Amino acid sequence: MAMKDYSDEFKADAVALYESTPGATYKDIAADLGINRATLREWVLRDRERRGVTSAVRAGGTASAGAGRPAVSDDPEIRIRQLEARVAELEASERKLATERDILRKAAKYFAGGDELVSRFQFVHDHRDAYEVKRLCQVLDVNRSSYYKWLGGADARAARRREDQVLAERIRRIHADSGGAYGSPRVTAELRETGTRVNHKRVARVMRAHAITGVRLRRRIRTTVADPAATLVPDLFERDFTAPEPGRKYMGDITYLPLAGGEFLYLATVLDCFSRKVVGWSIADHMRTVLVTDALRMAAATRGGLDGAVFHSDHGAQDGSRAFADLCADLGVTRSMGAVGSSADNAACESFHASLKRETLQGTRDYGNPATCRRTVFAWLTRYNTRRRHSANGHLSPNEYERRRHTAKLTLAA
């Protein structure tokens, strides 16, 4: 937490306001200026010392009307005593300023890391044996009563730290089980599923404190190349990627899978809009039409048929080909396509593929060789359906989401 740095002009104006206000108290003026009472008093006393003014201060903190320079005596002995007193006063002031400088130097190093979690109260506590707590609080512009209240909560904070450490270990296990992919929302859902009542903000805080992070998006490469000769297909989705039940609406897309040496494999997927379950996929070293037809045939086998369903895709040449159109007709599938060049019209598939690569590559540039790539992607797709929590499903896996829907439907029928 950064300390306030007041300008010399502000200090001078604050002192002038105090000195020119009849009956003023440090407390009242400080409250009006939004500063600490002790800070204002310090500025006033320094200004008086600079001007060589000695003034009596009333209990309320106001300067007496007779304030002014001390009378100079004609008696040499009295003048010597006055000068000695003045020297002692200046020496005390210098020691006080030296102490302040020393505290501020140490505070600058203490807060240099910029960690907002490090409290000024902690600095006071760490240096209370070297300096008076009162002086530390004045220099750091904190209230002593607040410091002692903070000090009284030390046991509670220690208990919270121990609880956070236990929670962090559980989060690490969940994070590791997810392949390092889960962020705080899915970790929170996993914890709640296992009976741990925890706020998602606390999970996020503990993950930040222990440097536990999910993986991030990578730059995407274009895989959609429209076929200008393709038959015009209407957009039946209109960016609505939801469905009232499984098997009604499907969506598909192609994405690249980078290999070592600048080569690629390509993945075509078919997702059910109800649960976002991957019901069909195909991996090949090309983007010919057979890539998407194989994925759609797998979807038909998984669901036991696609008759009456709608399949939505972008305007890629593969999805717009005659061979793909014929297959859809054979399977009883109605085609739907988004606008040319609009990724938002197939955003759910785009997001799915981004998650796949984010969680399997985890910051690396490629999958290595084709065999490793196929194994890695296959394992993730399988885990995605059976275990990975999906935000669109209330943080349930696609299989679990469909199972609960089926159970609820049977219960209503009974």
Side-chain angles (χ1 to χ4, degrees):
M1 183 182 293
M3 292 176 291
K4 292 181 180 178
D5 185 15
Y6 299 100
S7 66
D8 292 338
E9 182 180 1
F10 181 90
K11 295 177 182 178
D13 289 342
V15 171
L17 177 63
Y18 172 79
E19 296 283 22
S20 62
T21 304
T25 64
Y26 289 122
K27 181 179 179 181
D28 292 340
I29 299 299
D32 291 342
L33 297 175
I35 61 177
N36 187 275
R37 173 190 176 282
T39 301
L40 176 62
R41 180 177 181 275
E42 193 68 26
W43 293 348
V44 171
L45 294 180
R46 285 188 194 176
D47 183 75
R48 290 174 178 172
E49 289 176 0
R50 180 183 61 79
R51 292 185 288 113
V53 175
T54 301
S55 59
V57 180
R58 295 195 298 267
T62 60
S64 64
R69 291 183 177 275
V72 178
S73 173
D74 293 333
D75 189 328
E77 292 185 1
I78 295 176
R79 291 182 63 184
I80 290 173
R81 287 196 296 272
Q82 287 177 334
L83 290 173
E84 288 176 343
R86 180 61 177 160
V87 168
E89 183 181 353
L90 292 174
E91 287 177 345
S93 178
E94 178 61 28
R95 287 193 298 271
K96 185 178 180 182
L97 291 173
T99 300
E100 284 188 7
R101 287 194 297 269
D102 191 33
I103 292 173
L104 290 173
R105 278 196 297 268
K106 292 181 178 179
K109 294 179 180 179
Y110 193 90
F111 295 103
D115 186 354
E116 294 184 0
L117 296 177
V118 177
S119 170
R120 281 186 284 180
F121 295 142
Q122 188 65 53
F123 177 86
V124 173
H125 188 66
D126 292 344
H127 296 81
R128 67 191 186 284
D129 294 333
Y131 308 99
E132 291 182 348
V133 169
K134 177 182 178 181
R135 172 48 86 197
L136 287 166
C137 290
Q138 287 175 341
V139 173
L140 295 182
D141 194 22
V142 297
N143 293 321
R144 270 189 295 169
S145 60
S146 298
Y147 162 71
Y148 286 118
K149 182 177 180 180
W150 172 87
L151 191 61
D155 291 341
R157 287 194 302 277
R160 281 196 299 271
R161 283 194 296 270
R162 289 192 296 270
E163 292 171 358
D164 284 351
Q165 188 61 45
V166 173
L167 179 61
E169 293 304 317
R170 297 194 64 188
I171 290 173
R172 283 195 182 95
R173 289 194 293 271
I174 293 171
H175 187 255
D177 288 343
S178 74
Y182 278 6
S184 58
R186 289 187 174 89
V187 169
T188 303
E190 191 74 29
L191 288 167
R192 290 174 178 173
E193 186 74 17
T194 57
T196 301
R197 298 182 61 183
V198 62
N199 185 279
H200 69 280
K201 293 181 180 180
R202 183 185 177 198
V203 173
R205 174 178 59 78
V206 172
M207 290 182 71
R208 281 196 305 271
H210 291 81
I212 305 172
T213 58
V215 289
R216 301 183 181 275
L217 287 169
R218 291 170 53 88
R219 180 179 62 87
R220 65 185 297 270
I221 293 176
R222 184 184 181 196
T223 55
T224 302
V225 180
D227 182 358
T231 303
L232 181 63
V233 176
D235 182 357
L236 303 179
F237 271 36
E238 296 182 345
R239 301 187 183 181
D240 178 9
F241 305 109
T242 63
E245 60 184 23
R248 296 278 294 275
K249 294 168 65 177
Y250 297 95
M251 51 189 170
D253 198 6
I254 299 174
T255 192
Y256 76 100
L257 303 172
L259 305 176
E263 300 296 324
F264 296 96
L265 291 180
Y266 299 92
L267 169 70
T269 52
V270 178
L271 279 69
D272 191 308
C273 290
F274 173 75
S275 63
R276 306 297 170 88
K277 179 175 181 175
V278 188
V279 293
W281 71 80
S282 177
I283 300 176
D285 58 0
H286 59 79
M287 287 199 299
R288 294 190 292 273
T289 302
V290 67
L291 180 68
V292 293
T293 56
D294 284 350
L296 193 63
R297 286 192 176 94
M298 180 180 175
T302 301
R303 288 305 197 195
L306 301 177
D307 189 39
V310 177
F311 177 79
H312 183 81
S313 66
D314 55 27
H315 268 270
Q318 302 84 1
D319 296 304
S321 68
R322 171 51 56 188
F324 187 75
D326 291 342
L327 177 61
C328 287
D330 292 342
L331 296 173
V333 172
T334 301
R335 291 191 298 157
S336 169
M337 283 189 176
V340 176
S342 176
S343 60
D345 287 347
N346 203 21
C349 272
E350 299 275 355
S351 176
F352 169 79
H353 286 152
S355 296
L356 182 151
K357 284 184 279 190
R358 182 175 67 245
E359 297 180 13
T360 53
L361 286 172
Q362 298 193 15
T364 59
R365 300 182 65 86
D366 57 68
Y367 292 96
N369 58 54
T372 300
C373 177
R374 288 175 181 272
R375 286 195 303 269
T376 301
V377 173
F378 171 78
W380 188 89
L381 291 172
T382 304
R383 187 182 184 281
Y384 171 91
N385 282 340
T386 59
R387 295 184 57 195
R388 185 185 180 277
R389 296 180 180 276
H390 202 298
S391 57
N393 298 338
H395 290 297
L396 297 175
S397 69
N399 281 1
E400 178 63 16
Y401 189 67
E402 290 192 2
R403 186 193 68 79
R404 293 193 184 188
R405 188 264 180 191
H406 180 68
T407 302
K409 189 175 181 179
L410 291 178
T411 302
L412 291 174

